[in-house]
């Protein structure tokens, strides 16, 4: 993250003696990116963060990945997925993936195991419910509308809070996720034209020193053992990894609410980059929020038909209503995938209906990927197979391509 944070106790000078009440040294750990050349934090543990007592291979649920073939726009109804008794790590149901990013959905009502993603940063978007994200950096509370960014290799755990499960859209990167560079000064401060700034971001405010022995941590890491280049190992740590009394630096889990994203509007329709919230390797994340819409006297507030030829576009509908999509079957929790090679746009009649409208109550998270997204098995299990024909309002003759519900 672009700014410095200090939590709990740290010594006045880095890399110097810092002693516990019994006189022994705290164990200092530097967690940093890009080989000591980018953001980092220094953490102070009661015990050595290196002490593992066991390591076992672990096979997570294996979902096959199928290409989007024949090429079609897709509509996934995530609320149709069966997800009882899941936790936010091992219960993820993979939906869409390429070699840069993987998008999953989970309804978590169980506390997750401790988990480390050594492949890349994760972005957890909270559709509904509340949770505490626990890590060595301290607790971070999240609720509906929050994005939580977990830096690569931070060991964390998701504990649902309250009576309802927490519904998460999970975006796993193969590198680092951060704000768009065009919104940052050369020193990393948010600029005046950014739709959000430092005051909108939240980080841990106090440490969560936790005692424990023989603590399991599930690690997702790079490997050539698997075709995807990713595999898992289960480590057992001699002492609890959250045994931290203080830390400081620029690297830590943080949260940002979509409700704090200030929309950029105009007299005529603004293109999706005005909604960009984060960037990652070969993808972007955008927020569509309730907003005043296009106010030119002749404006058509819904999007024009468009074909972003270098991207696959995934849109997760997470609140409000979607005037441009009326008639498509899109509902709360829906995901649309509009792939490169296909021109998409509003449903028939939406442009006419939108004329004169001055406000859209919509909430959606978009992920645009620069390489095609494959479909994972759970996506096929909740697909509305009639979606591709909703613009034409006419399905093909072949029975196998006709959705029984709409065709
Ligand atoms: Fe689009």
């Amino acid at each position: 993250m672009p700014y410095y944070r200090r939590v709990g106790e740290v010594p006045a000078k880095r890399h110097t003696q810092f002693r516990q009440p019994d006189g022994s040294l705290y164990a200092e750990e530097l967690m940093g990116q890009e080989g000591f050349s980018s953001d980092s934090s220094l953490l102070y543990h009661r015990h050595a963060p290196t002490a593992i007592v066991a390591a076992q291979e672990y096979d997570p649920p294996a979902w096959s990945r199928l290409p989007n073939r024949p090429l079609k726009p897709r509509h996934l109804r995530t609320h149709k997925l069966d997800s009882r008794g899941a936790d936010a790590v091992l219960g993820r149901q993979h939906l869409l993936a390429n070699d840069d990013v993987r998008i999953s959905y989970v309804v978590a009502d169980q506390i997750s195991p401790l988990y480390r993603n050594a492949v890349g940063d994760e972005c957890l978007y909270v559709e509904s419910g509340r949770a505490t994200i626990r890590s060595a950096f301290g607790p971070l509370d999240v609720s509906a509308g929050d994005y939580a960014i977990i830096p690569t290799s931070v060991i964390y755990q998701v504990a649902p809070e309250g009576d309802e499960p927490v519904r998460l859209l999970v975006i796993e990167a193969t590198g680092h996720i951060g704000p768009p560079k065009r919104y940052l000064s050369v020193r990393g401060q948010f600029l005046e034209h950014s739709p959000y700034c430092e005051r909108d971001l939240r980080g841990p405010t106090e440490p969560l020193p936790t005692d424990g022995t023989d603590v399991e941590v599930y690690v997702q890491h790079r490997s050539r053992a698997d075709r995807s280049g990713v595999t898992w190992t289960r480590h057992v740590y001699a002492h609890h990894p959250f045994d931290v009394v203080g830390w400081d630096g620029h690297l830590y889990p943080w949260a940002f609410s979509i409700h704090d994203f200030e929309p950029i509007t105009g007299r005529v329709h603004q293109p999706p980059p005005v909604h960009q919230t984060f960037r990652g390797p070969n993808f972007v994340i955008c927020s569509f929020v309730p907003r005043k819409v296009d106010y030119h006297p002749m404006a058509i507030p819904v999007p024009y038909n468009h074909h972003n030829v270098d991207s696959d576009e995934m849109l997760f509908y997470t609140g409000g209503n979607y005037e441009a999509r009326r008639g498509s079957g899109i509902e709360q929790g829906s995901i649309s995938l509009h792939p490169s090679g296909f021109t998409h746009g509003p449903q028939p009649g939406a442009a006419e209906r939108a004329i004169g409208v001055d406000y859209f109550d919509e909430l959606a998270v978009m992920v645009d990927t620069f390489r095609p997204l494959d479909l994972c098995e759970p996506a096929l299990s909740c697909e509305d197979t009639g979606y591709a024909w909703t613009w034409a309002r006419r399905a093909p003759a072949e029975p196998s391509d006709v959705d029984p519900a709409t065709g």
Side-chain angles (χ1 to χ4, degrees):
M1 267 312 298
Y3 67 96
Y4 173 82
R5 199 170 186 93
R6 177 173 169 163
V7 168
E9 289 181 78
V10 300
K13 190 101 179 148
R14 62 186 175 181
H15 317 321
T16 58
Q17 296 174 35
F18 180 34
R19 294 192 179 275
Q20 309 197 38
D22 67 1
S24 62
L25 289 170
Y26 283 110
E28 186 181 50
E29 175 194 11
L30 180 129
M31 176 166 252
Q33 298 175 341
E34 298 176 16
F36 299 90
S37 301
S38 187
D39 295 349
S40 65
S41 284
L42 285 165
L43 301 98
Y44 295 88
H45 293 264
R46 288 173 175 155
H47 304 281
T50 49
I52 55 172
V53 296
Q56 295 174 307
E57 294 178 12
Y58 172 72
D59 295 322
W63 310 113
S64 56
R65 231 175 86 177
L66 302 167
N68 184 359
R69 184 164 179 264
L71 185 70
K72 287 197 301 185
R74 306 279 178 163
H75 171 202
L76 314 179
R77 290 183 158 134
T78 61
H79 289 193
K80 300 250 186 258
L81 292 168
D82 183 12
S83 47
R84 286 161 290 186
D87 72 71
V89 172
L90 302 181
R92 294 176 187 177
Q93 302 204 54
H94 301 169
L95 299 175
L96 303 166
N98 62 24
D99 289 344
D100 303 312
V101 62
R102 182 165 59 205
I103 298 163
S104 308
Y105 187 76
V106 60
V107 186
D109 57 10
Q110 304 293 311
I111 189 166
S112 80
L114 272 64
Y115 162 64
R116 158 178 272 175
N117 184 339
V119 177
D121 292 0
E122 295 192 346
C123 172
L124 278 51
Y125 176 79
V126 184
E127 181 191 2
S128 64
R130 294 187 294 119
T132 302
I133 297 174
R134 302 174 183 162
S135 74
F137 296 85
L140 182 64
D141 295 329
V142 293
S143 57
D146 278 340
Y147 293 101
I149 307 294
I150 316 294
T152 308
S153 277
V154 166
I155 298 173
Y156 77 97
Q157 176 177 45
V158 179
E161 305 283 359
D163 296 332
E164 62 172 314
V166 60
R167 290 179 172 271
L168 299 172
L169 183 79
V170 180
I171 302 156
E172 298 172 34
T174 47
H176 303 308
I177 298 172
K181 286 185 174 159
R182 67 180 182 279
Y183 290 141
L184 300 175
S185 76
V186 291
R187 293 178 189 81
Q189 183 180 6
F190 283 95
L191 297 169
E192 277 295 311
H193 68 288
S194 172
Y196 61 99
C197 74
E198 288 84 351
R199 295 185 195 182
D200 299 315
L201 309 185
R202 313 192 313 273
T205 56
E206 55 189 19
L208 181 70
T210 307
D211 291 319
T213 55
D214 292 353
V215 178
E216 278 189 337
V217 177
Y218 289 74
V219 184
Q220 182 175 201
H221 57 98
R222 296 176 213 273
S223 169
R224 287 192 298 171
D226 184 86
R227 190 182 66 83
S228 67
V230 173
T231 192
W232 290 60
T233 294
R234 193 163 48 198
H235 285 152
V236 178
Y237 279 78
H239 297 280
H240 203 293
F242 299 169
D243 64 341
V244 166
V245 297
W247 61 271
D248 75 338
H250 291 239
L251 182 75
Y252 48 87
W254 53 281
F256 166 64
S257 172
I258 197 170
H259 303 300
D260 288 326
F261 186 92
E262 297 302 331
I264 297 169
T265 61
R267 289 209 334 144
V268 295
H269 200 74
Q270 298 295 294
V274 302
H275 305 285
Q276 191 186 350
T277 312
F278 305 113
R279 63 173 165 80
N282 283 337
F283 72 92
V284 298
I285 301 174
C286 301
S287 304
F288 290 80
V289 301
R291 63 192 180 281
K292 185 176 178 63
V293 288
D294 322 336
Y295 42 88
H296 186 285
M298 298 293 281
I300 299 174
V302 293
Y304 33 85
N305 300 302
H306 53 286
H307 190 172
N308 189 358
V309 300
D310 295 317
S311 301
D312 271 20
E313 177 191 299
M314 185 228 80
L315 203 53
F316 177 60
Y317 301 83
T318 181
N321 59 60
Y322 302 95
E323 185 55 35
R325 310 311 320 282
R326 199 199 296 179
S328 67
I330 295 291
E331 59 192 10
Q332 172 72 27
S334 285
I335 284 177
S336 62
L337 172 65
H338 297 143
S340 170
F342 168 75
T343 299
H344 66 276
Q347 303 315 122
E352 291 81 0
R353 285 197 305 273
I355 291 171
V357 172
D358 60 4
Y359 186 81
F360 277 177
D361 176 24
E362 65 178 18
L363 197 65
V365 172
M366 185 171 82
V367 182
D368 268 15
T369 66
F370 302 153
R371 291 201 277 185
L373 285 164
D374 293 335
L375 299 153
C376 305
E377 272 176 285
L380 300 175
S381 76
C382 67
E383 185 183 5
D384 163 13
T385 55
Y387 178 66
W389 329 121
T390 55
W391 288 272
R393 294 170 167 162
R394 181 160 62 87
E398 295 86 345
S400 61
D401 274 348
V402 179
D403 177 35
T406 61

